[in-house]
Amino acid sequence: MSAHRIEIRPERPAEFAEIHAFVKTAFETAKVAGGDEQNFVDRLRASPGYLPDLALVAVEGDRIVGHVMLTRTAIATAAGRREILLFAPLAVDLAHRSAGLGARLTREVLERGRAAGFDAVTLVGDPAYYGRFGFRPTIDFGVDNADAIPSQYVQMLELVPGALAGVTGTITFAT
């Protein structure tokens, strides 16, 4: 299964049920899972923050083997809402793990987010994995989380260097 035969493109409405099932199955074999990731994807897609061009699938033949999405979210600051992107969740088929597909999806969606004019992204995830893409704890940027999630797992990345300079506030991941 070579990664070059895998197409990455925006998800299509006709695939939503298949994506729901795919994300559920992918997280059943993930190292860390809350068990609700597929419903989280559905809630994000139903939210005003949904960005169809930034919800990507990796397709091999006629099978979905990966999914990731960026949606609008915001940091609550003293000056008001500071819009950024939420990266969540990244799902990769068990047979394609440790083969670079997750990294490929991550790089692709972040580049598309930057190209769409966004300057920062946040996520909740493994610091060892996401750190290689430049994500750092949000507290490094002066941003706390309102969800009592251990701070090392709540991370941010500036898509535009310096974009978060001087921004302080709180972020929540509740949908």
Side-chain angles (χ1 to χ4, degrees):
M1 287 187 214
S2 57
H4 69 272
R5 293 190 349 242
I6 296 173
E7 175 195 7
I8 296 177
R9 60 160 172 78
E11 66 182 16
R12 298 173 181 151
E15 297 168 323
F16 291 171
E18 183 183 355
I19 291 165
H20 180 94
F22 169 77
V23 171
K24 180 177 179 11
T25 301
F27 275 94
E28 285 169 354
T29 55
K31 277 189 237 172
V32 179
D36 191 46
E37 289 80 6
Q38 68 281 358
N39 297 318
F40 187 55
V41 167
D42 293 345
R43 287 193 303 273
L44 290 170
R45 194 181 289 125
S47 78
Y50 176 58
L51 299 161
D53 293 343
L54 298 180
L56 306 180
V57 287
V59 181
E60 184 174 51
D62 61 354
R63 247 180 85 245
I64 291 174
V65 295
H67 181 264
V68 67
M69 64 196 310
L70 293 176
T71 52
R72 292 175 197 270
T73 191
I75 301 166
T77 74
R81 290 173 44 88
R82 169 63 164 77
E83 189 173 87
I84 61 171
L85 291 170
L86 169 64
F87 177 108
L90 172 64
V92 175
D93 180 69
L94 184 59
H96 290 79
R97 289 193 199 144
S98 302
L101 181 58
R104 192 174 153 206
L105 273 165
T106 298
R107 283 191 297 273
E108 179 72 21
V109 81
L110 292 174
E111 186 47 49
R112 288 182 187 217
R114 181 183 297 110
F118 293 92
D119 62 10
V121 181
T122 189
L123 60 77
V124 176
D126 178 1
Y129 183 82
Y130 292 103
R132 66 178 146 156
F133 302 102
F135 281 90
R136 301 191 341 251
T138 57
I139 54 171
D140 289 3
F141 296 98
V143 177
D144 206 352
N145 83 85
D147 301 303
I149 300 166
S151 61
Q152 69 268 29
Y153 299 108
V154 184
Q155 301 163 70
M156 288 179 122
L157 171 69
E158 291 176 317
L159 296 174
V160 175
L164 297 174
V167 174
T168 59
T170 307
I171 193 152
T172 184
F173 296 93
T175 56

